[in-house]
Amino acid sequence: MAGWGNLKRIAYFAAVVETGSFTAAAERLGITKAVVSQQVARLEEEFRTALLFRTTRKVRPTEAGQAFYHRCALILRETEDAFGELAEVTGEPSGLLRLTAPLDYGMGVVVPAIADFMRRYPQCKVDAVLSDQTLDMMARNIELAVRVGWITDSHLQARRIGTFRQLLVAPAQLRADVERMQAPEDIAQLPFVANTVLREPLRWHFSLNEIDRREITLQASLSLDATLPVREAVLLGAGVSVLPDYAIADDLASGRLIHVLPQWSLPSGGIHVVFPTARFRPPKVRAFVDLLAQRAGRQSP
């Protein structure tokens, strides 16, 4: 079995596992679906083992395929590191960069950074997953993730690139109710839109100063699992909610949203880029993170 041919086949196989379909894998790799299907089939024929369960809607690995994928992912990471080391000699980022970011921050900051990155480095391609769900970087073969909030994964390396504030906001049509509010406990008088992607979507810690601090627990009138739908629900008058400042800056400036109890503050958070532990960081990763940090720094309060 030819070594280089096998390396290409395991790359095709890994792409199918990671994307869940032959079509999506072909799009990621920039080749035809037929080529991907044919090369994966040849792998199965050579080893006389089914690596994938195929249905009309989804492709997923068999038990043997899952074990094989984990080994393939390690091989592919090592191969990318080897090419990255070669690229470092020339100083020019190249290759496919895989990343993930929250949907709201991704649309506002990360996607513009990606567009700038690809203009600067035409030898690079980017595969980005924008989701408010925290993805398993090792399982998905992701090279960097943007995390907004508080880092909990001790096995990941992190670089802080910015900060954000959490703000309690209400739609303009609730202005009269908001202006009568004096303390965080008064929030319970209004419907609350909860963002269930947060660890504690209903418990909030408010501070007036170093001494006066309040913890309140709210009841959700509406629960949604992503920041942008929460913002939209509040804009449409569904209630009040807590949202990050970068997602609502224009809404506050235009008066569509009102900052509720502005004298009381909620904990601020960090914006980090995190990486799987590795001895080597390819030029494409370093270049993108530097560019993203510049953009994030300009947007931090």
Side-chain angles (χ1 to χ4, degrees), residues 276-296:
T277 301
R279 68 179 186 276
F280 174 75
R281 201 74 64 207
K284 62 183 177 182
V285 173
R286 297 200 305 272
F288 181 77
V289 173
D290 288 343
L291 191 155
L292 182 61
Q294 293 173 10
R295 286 182 167 271

Side-chain angles (χ1 to χ4, degrees), residues 2 11 17 23 26 34 116 130 190 214 261 296:
V17 173
T23 300
D116 191 6
L130 301 185
L190 297 174
R214 313 276 178 89
L261 297 173

Side-chain angles (χ1 to χ4, degrees), residues 55-288:
T55 69
T56 56
R57 301 181 62 184
K58 188 74 174 176
V59 177
R60 61 185 178 86
T62 62
E63 183 177 353
Q66 188 65 44
F68 184 57
Y69 166 73
H70 286 305
R71 300 301 295 267
C72 290
L74 290 173
I75 293 169
L76 292 171
R77 276 194 290 272
E78 288 293 326
T79 304
E80 288 186 358
D81 280 357
F83 279 109
E85 289 172 359
L86 283 176
E88 190 173 26
V89 175
T90 66
E92 185 68 19
S94 63
L96 176 65
L97 174 64
R98 296 187 180 93
L99 64 93
T100 183
L103 180 59
D104 55 341
Y105 192 78
M107 291 177 63
V109 181
V110 178
V111 170
I114 290 173
D116 191 6
F117 175 74
M118 296 183 71
R119 283 193 296 268
R120 296 189 189 194
Y121 306 107
Q123 297 304 311
C124 289
K125 296 181 179 180
V126 177
D127 182 0
V129 179
L130 301 185
S131 171
D132 284 350
Q133 305 300 319
T134 300
L135 303 182
D136 185 330
M137 297 181 66
M138 298 297 289
R140 300 287 292 268
N141 201 23
I142 292 172
E143 295 167 286
L144 68 92
V146 179
R147 299 276 170 84
V148 175
W150 294 265
I151 300 298
T152 58
D153 296 327
S154 59
H155 65 285
L156 297 175
Q157 299 173 341
R159 173 180 169 181
R160 185 170 175 143
I161 61 172
T163 60
F164 70 96
R165 296 169 62 207
Q166 298 182 106
L167 304 178
L168 177 67
V169 294
Q173 55 263 49
L174 293 181
R175 183 179 297 276
D177 296 305
V178 166
E179 290 176 347
R180 287 195 294 269
M181 298 172 66
Q182 300 295 319
E185 292 80 4
D186 298 335
I187 301 169
Q189 301 171 12
L190 297 174
F192 186 78
V193 182
N195 186 351
T196 57
V197 79
L198 302 176
R199 280 181 296 170
E200 294 186 314
L202 297 174
R203 183 178 298 173
W204 298 98
H205 299 265
F206 287 84
S207 300
L208 183 63
N209 48 49
E210 291 297 321
I211 299 174
D212 197 349
R213 301 171 184 270
R214 313 276 178 89
E215 178 185 302
I216 65 168
T217 300
L218 301 169
Q219 297 293 320
S221 300
L222 171 63
S223 296
L224 297 165
D225 65 350
T227 300
L228 291 181
V230 171
R231 168 186 169 271
E232 188 66 18
V234 175
L235 284 169
L236 293 172
V240 301
S241 192
V242 175
L243 288 163
D245 57 359
Y246 58 80
I248 54 172
D250 291 342
D251 301 317
L252 291 170
S254 68
R256 293 189 296 269
L257 291 180
I258 307 163
H259 186 183
V260 182
L261 297 173
Q263 68 275 28
W264 292 84
S265 62
L266 288 159
S268 297
I271 300 169
H272 295 83
V273 177
V274 300
F275 319 88
T277 301
R279 68 179 186 276
F280 174 75
R281 201 74 64 207
K284 62 183 177 182
V285 173
R286 297 200 305 272
F288 181 77

